[in-house]
Amino acid sequence: MRLITFWLGCHCANYFAVTSAIAVEALFLKIRNQPIAPAIGDGSAALTGILLAISIPTIAPWWIIVVGVSFAIIFGKQLYGGLGNNPFNPAMLGYAFLLISYPLQMTTWAGDFVTFTQAFEVIFNLNPVDALSGATRLDDVKTQLALGKIISELSVHSTAQAWINAGFLLGGLYLLVRRVIFWHIPLAFLSGIVITAFLLSFGDTEHYLPIQNHLMLGGTMLGAFFIATDPVSACTTPKGRLIYGFFIGMLIVIIRTFGNYPDGVAFAVLLMNITVPLIDYYTQPKVFGQ
Amino acid sequence: MFDAFNNGIVINNPYPVTRVEIIQAPLPDKVVLPLQQRIGAEAEPCVKVGDKVLTGQLIAQTPDQFCASIHASISGTVVAIDAQIIPHKSGLKSNCITIESDGKDEWIKNKGVGDFLHCSRETLIEYLQQSGIVGLGGAGFPTHSKLKKATNCHTLIINATECEPGIMCDDALMQHDAREVIRGVEVLLRITGATQVFIAIEDDKQEAYHSLLMFNHNERISIIQIPTKYTSGAEKLLIKALLNIEIPADELAINHGILCQNVSTVKAIFDAVVEDKPLISRIVTVTGDAVTPNNFEVRLGASFRHIVTLAEPNNKPHAVRMGGMMMGVNVATLDVPICKVTNCIFVNNAKPTPSIQECIRCGQCNQACPVNLLPQQLYWYAKSENTEKAMEYNLSSCIECRCCDVVCPSHIPLASYFSFAKALHRQTLKAQKKVYNARKRFEYREYRLVRNKTERTEMMARKKAELKQKWQATRLKKIK
């Protein structure tokens, strides 16, 4: 029961984000004098909205969602010429923008389980935030480690986040089975996380987060199956996808461990987006007869 | 290692039939025979309007060594030699000979070559040219010129893969004329002197496979089944699959001692050499959702309408396509003649084409590409007309099989973009060559002017020196 209300709670922001994403996209297409219906119909704006809403805290205020979604759609996509022409992942661009501009609201995690009504009230500012909020688990761990504590003294686990990640893993496997995405990026992404986390925590288990927590906390599974696999901004050659995914995974662990931000999926993806043309050029498959 | 069957796409025959038959189409009232064949110069008619011709009579031949001869496919009267619409994607008109049938189908008595085992290679090759044999798989490459190059041939590959889904004419041919096919292969063995022959047949044609097995008693001929996958019939990919030899993009298979021939060409060779019949008819598949699919043996030059009518088309508006559903060309009207390369006519109910969306680089196309290209990258460059970059991504290796078109979720006509980019590249090269030549000419002119000038000054100097010498000599004399 708690799971179901939690599930609904997480959805409150999603519906709002999707609506505003479609509205912004339609508005901008109108300004650009482009046909509106086919572009909305392909669902890409709705997808950007949902991915962004999933990435930001469940209880972020409504204007955070609107600002983030608008930035993602306008600066992440439409200014480059619309779908298919954007070098960066629009949702992650929106997320990075929000994280840098509004760090407080973006790192507030709603305790562990939040219901739909609670989420609704907080998002639309009907109820004071304090009743629910706390730092996210990754943020918390980082702060505590910085204060000189060691892993065994901390609670590094979060059941809610583990559930979320398990859900994304299942969803991702479904996409794989349906052949919507190819296996290269998720596999390389997760191996990048596992290998880097292993190398870090191998000698020093007390100061570095263990592998399983890297996998089950934050946006790992969401990133592996839903974010990094965005075909437009990802590598397009089979070999390139492996390199691309691996380095995103590696960068995430490095940012989580040494960076200033609690989670690094957005920055890792954006950084690797920049390298896509280079990787694609040097990983062309061998053409028959050449 | 490159696996020839790793890529490509599986498309089952969209309009299967329970029994593959060959229906003899009735004699057409009129045939239209184009003088322009697929490659080479236009043939020159050797009959005049009003002449009586017999079936199998030579009516046009060409001084071009590259082309094959053209024969009357029915007996009757030549009524016109003029421009007619031919089945070509441009819809252009081309010169044709029109013969009206007298309904008798009287054959000319051709002087054959006799027993082919006693003929020389050259005699047979020349005879094939005179019999008008060209590649019947769809490309229409003249068989004799291919054979002429095959001086050092060790392996013969008979392509019985039926190049595209939906086409059944080769399947039908093998089921009904397996003996003739094997005998035709033996003629080719005699011509090329190859030591081994592989007949490659797709594994969905079990009946044809068994018919061939039944008639094959030659230990040099092996019949090999390959997976049914689109583009496995492409020459170089087939060679890779059978022999594991990868022919480089800029080389011909024949330079590696391998000769490929289509199975219906082999049958035509048999007809010419053993039965003394020139190429005047062929088997055509008529298929699509607007007709009852079947194969028809029909005289060349009969109109599409002539056999489409036999396939009981419905009364809805149709979209007609010559050749396969993949690489064929759309034709605007059914009133075009059947040519040597017309292996299939698709008659479908006209459907609206799905709207084209943006490329999201999903990569489905490069998974399907049989030659391992990156269509998603090529598309980007072809669209922006950046042919230089497209060539870097091996645009020239594209075989335009349209696998990428079929799998594209955005319905982008990728192959059309690529063939456009190729043409654009050729044009750029031509222009570049022109500029290069002009510059060379200019440079030579500059060089010539400078050379003339120096030569002139040198000559003046020499003359001056000579004069001076002379003058000094006379002065010396005077002093003495």
Side-chain angles (χ1 to χ4, degrees):
Chain A
M1 191 57 215
R2 212 156 70 115
L3 261 182
I4 295 173
T5 49
F6 177 48
W7 181 70
L8 281 172
C10 292
H11 270 58
C12 184
N14 295 358
Y15 300 131
F16 183 62
V18 168
T19 325
S20 39
I22 292 177
V24 173
E25 171 115 324
L27 182 73
F28 232 76
L29 286 166
K30 179 113 181 105
I31 295 172
R32 285 182 58 217
N33 270 332
Q34 298 285 322
I36 295 175
I40 298 290
D42 67 26
S44 60
L47 179 72
T48 303
I50 256 200
L51 287 179
L52 187 67
I54 290 172
S55 312
I56 63 181
T58 335
I59 51 160
W62 66 272
W63 53 269
I64 283 269
I65 298 176
V66 175
V67 170
V69 161
S70 310
F71 190 82
I73 299 277
I74 298 170
F75 290 89
K77 197 166 78 174
Q78 291 298 338
L79 285 188
Y80 287 109
L83 181 67
N85 298 307
N86 46 308
F88 296 106
N89 187 321
M92 288 303 101
L93 209 60
Y95 179 84
F97 171 73
L98 288 178
L99 188 59
I100 294 168
S101 312
Y102 311 101
L104 179 67
Q105 286 87 340
M106 287 297 288
T107 47
T108 314
W109 168 247
D112 260 0
F113 290 97
V114 60
T115 65
F116 188 82
T117 27
Q118 280 174 330
F120 186 84
E121 285 172 355
V122 176
I123 289 172
F124 295 101
N125 214 5
L126 305 172
N127 211 13
V129 174
D130 304 338
L132 290 166
S133 64
T136 70
R137 189 67 59 188
L138 275 170
D139 204 14
D140 189 37
V141 170
K142 188 195 282 289
T143 321
Q144 298 295 331
L145 283 175
L147 291 174
K149 296 221 172 135
I150 53 172
I151 294 285
S152 48
E153 288 178 334
L154 301 171
S155 130
V156 291
H157 187 68
S158 159
T159 323
Q161 292 212 358
W163 271 111
I164 293 175
N165 272 297
F168 283 130
L169 175 63
L170 268 182
L173 293 177
Y174 174 74
L175 288 190
L176 272 178
V177 171
R178 289 291 309 273
R179 289 180 61 86
V180 174
I181 56 174
F182 293 112
W183 55 268
H184 308 77
I185 290 178
L187 185 80
F189 183 110
L190 295 178
S191 353
I193 287 193
V194 169
I195 291 171
T196 320
F198 172 76
L199 289 177
L200 284 176
S201 62
F202 178 58
D204 187 356
T205 44
E206 289 301 351
H207 290 99
Y208 296 100
L209 209 55
I211 298 172
Q212 67 270 26
N213 295 104
H214 267 302
L215 289 178
M216 294 317 259
L217 282 181
T220 304
M221 292 300 168
L222 176 70
F225 291 96
F226 294 85
I227 306 275
T229 50
D230 165 44
V232 177
S233 55
C235 278
T236 190
T237 65
K239 226 188 284 172
R241 287 196 190 110
L242 290 174
I243 298 172
Y244 175 80
F246 183 84
F247 277 99
I248 292 179
M250 197 178 93
L251 280 172
I252 286 174
V253 177
I254 289 175
I255 294 172
R256 279 179 183 173
T257 314
F258 305 108
N260 281 326
Y261 291 101
D263 203 353
V265 177
F267 293 112
V269 168
L270 290 176
L271 277 174
M272 287 311 291
N273 281 164
I274 302 174
T275 67
V276 161
L278 187 75
I279 298 177
D280 274 348
Y281 185 81
Y282 285 107
T283 53
Q284 291 177 45
K286 187 199 163 295
V287 172
F288 182 80
Q290 292 286 345
Chain B
M1 196 185 79
F2 183 90
D3 180 359
F5 294 115
N6 215 355
N7 295 20
I9 45 178
V10 178
I11 310 177
N12 292 320
N13 186 348
Y15 312 107
V17 291
T18 41
R19 221 188 114 61
V20 179
E21 292 172 300
I22 301 177
I23 297 169
Q24 291 291 333
L27 275 188
D29 298 333
K30 177 183 97 166
V31 292
V32 177
L33 298 156
L35 294 171
Q36 171 73 58
Q37 300 191 42
R38 203 56 176 253
I39 337 176
E42 202 172 82
E44 283 163 14
C46 46
V47 287
K48 296 187 302 294
V49 175
D51 282 2
K52 292 260 177 234
V53 289
L54 297 174
T55 311
Q57 184 181 334
L58 183 72
I59 53 169
Q61 65 188 139
T62 158
D64 192 342
Q65 275 302 301
F66 209 60
C67 291
S69 307
I70 298 169
H71 303 81
S73 55
I74 48 173
S75 63
T77 322
V78 177
V79 290
I81 301 177
D82 59 358
Q84 305 263 355
I85 300 176
I86 54 163
H88 187 268
K89 63 180 153 191
S90 65
L92 283 179
K93 287 187 171 187
S94 170
N95 283 332
C96 300
I97 297 180
T98 309
I99 302 170
E100 220 164 63
S101 173
D102 56 10
K104 293 181 199 143
D105 193 24
E106 271 180 84
W107 279 74
I108 197 164
K109 189 76 203 102
N110 274 333
K111 189 169 73 67
V113 281
D115 186 353
F116 69 86
L117 288 173
H118 294 120
C119 294
S120 71
R121 178 186 134 84
E122 286 70 29
T123 325
L124 284 171
I125 292 178
E126 204 191 317
Y127 186 71
L128 290 182
Q129 179 183 12
Q130 285 165 10
S131 305
I133 312 287
V134 299
L136 297 180
F141 194 85
T143 305
H144 67 271
S145 48
K146 210 169 177 179
L147 287 172
K148 249 183 219 166
K149 288 197 196 124
T151 44
N152 211 353
C153 172
H154 53 77
T155 305
L156 193 59
I157 291 177
I158 307 301
N159 189 343
T161 57
E162 201 87 88
C163 51
E164 287 193 33
I167 308 181
M168 300 173 289
C169 58
D170 291 350
D171 190 9
L173 176 88
M174 288 183 284
Q175 287 188 29
H176 291 85
D177 299 329
R179 190 185 73 87
E180 287 81 352
V181 168
I182 298 288
R183 291 288 282 163
V185 174
E186 281 165 350
V187 177
L188 274 177
L189 271 175
R190 167 75 194 148
I191 296 176
T192 58
T195 49
Q196 52 178 357
V197 186
F198 295 107
I199 302 182
I201 183 164
E202 283 178 330
D203 56 9
D204 65 340
K205 301 174 192 23
Q206 286 303 322
E207 278 195 39
Y209 173 66
H210 286 110
S211 323
L212 286 178
L213 273 187
M214 202 155 70
F215 286 101
N216 178 23
H217 303 296
N218 192 325
E219 76 274 11
R220 283 196 283 176
I221 303 175
S222 18
I223 301 157
I224 293 183
Q225 292 199 73
I226 59 169
T228 308
K229 214 166 183 192
Y230 172 55
T231 73
S232 55
E235 184 177 275
K236 287 179 179 176
L237 294 175
L238 189 61
I239 292 172
K240 175 74 189 175
L242 292 173
L243 308 171
N244 198 20
I245 296 173
E246 189 170 326
I247 311 284
D250 48 358
E251 285 179 40
L252 296 172
I254 198 65
N255 300 339
H256 291 251
I258 302 162
L259 180 77
C260 282
Q261 284 295 343
N262 182 274
V263 66
S264 21
T265 317
V266 173
K267 164 71 165 43
I269 290 172
F270 169 87
D271 283 344
V273 173
V274 181
E275 307 266 318
D276 302 336
K277 278 186 193 164
L279 182 60
I280 56 143
S281 70
R282 70 156 297 146
I283 302 170
V284 180
T285 302
V286 179
T287 185
D289 56 13
V291 290
T292 317
N294 227 322
N295 300 294
F296 298 90
E297 175 149 23
V298 63
R299 296 294 166 90
L300 297 177
S303 70
F304 280 20
R305 191 178 299 283
H306 183 66
I307 55 170
V308 169
T309 327
L310 296 176
E312 301 153 7
N314 61 20
N315 294 323
K316 294 182 196 146
H318 296 154
V320 184
R321 195 171 172 85
M322 182 184 89
M325 57 194 271
M326 303 294 285
M327 293 176 79
V329 291
N330 293 329
V331 289
T333 159
L334 281 175
D335 296 304
V336 283
I338 287 160
C339 307
K340 289 177 181 174
V341 294
T342 312
N343 49 5
C344 183
I345 301 170
F346 264 87
V347 186
N348 282 321
N349 293 319
K351 290 187 250 324
T353 42
S355 67
I356 297 166
Q357 288 176 302
E358 291 287 343
C359 168
I360 54 163
R361 304 174 9 119
C362 66
Q364 300 284 355
C365 47
N366 95 282
Q367 298 281 320
C369 181
V371 291
N372 251 349
L373 289 166
L374 294 169
Q376 68 272 50
Q377 301 286 72
L378 283 172
Y379 167 66
W380 189 264
Y381 297 121
K383 201 177 168 191
S384 55
E385 302 189 6
N386 187 348
T387 53
E388 208 175 298
K389 200 80 184 159
M391 293 310 284
E392 249 178 64
Y393 278 86
N394 297 312
L395 174 68
S396 54
S397 291
C398 172
I399 57 173
E400 293 174 38
C401 63
R402 286 191 63 240
C403 279
C404 47
D405 283 25
V406 170
V407 297
C408 180
S410 294
H411 309 292
I412 301 170
L414 290 159
S416 312
Y417 273 101
F418 301 154
S419 77
F420 165 76
K422 277 184 191 169
L424 196 69
H425 178 70
R426 275 195 296 275
Q427 220 172 7
T428 326
L429 280 189
K430 233 186 226 168
Q432 273 172 359
K433 197 162 178 206
K434 216 169 158 187
V435 170
Y436 176 80
N437 285 344
R439 201 179 60 221
K440 279 276 158 226
R441 267 201 310 275
F442 176 75
E443 280 171 0
Y444 184 70
R445 179 174 177 273
E446 294 285 288
Y447 160 78
R448 205 182 62 221
L449 289 181
V450 172
R451 189 195 60 192
N452 288 357
K453 207 173 165 187
T454 45
E455 272 178 6
R456 213 181 154 80
T457 40
E458 268 170 27
M459 198 178 71
M460 295 289 276
R462 208 169 50 237
K463 270 197 175 155
K464 216 172 174 180
E466 271 170 24
L467 274 177
K468 205 173 174 184
Q469 234 174 8
K470 232 180 194 172
W471 181 74
Q472 273 175 345
T474 41
R475 224 175 64 155
L476 271 177
K477 244 183 211 168
K478 265 185 190 168
I479 293 169
K480 272 180 189 169

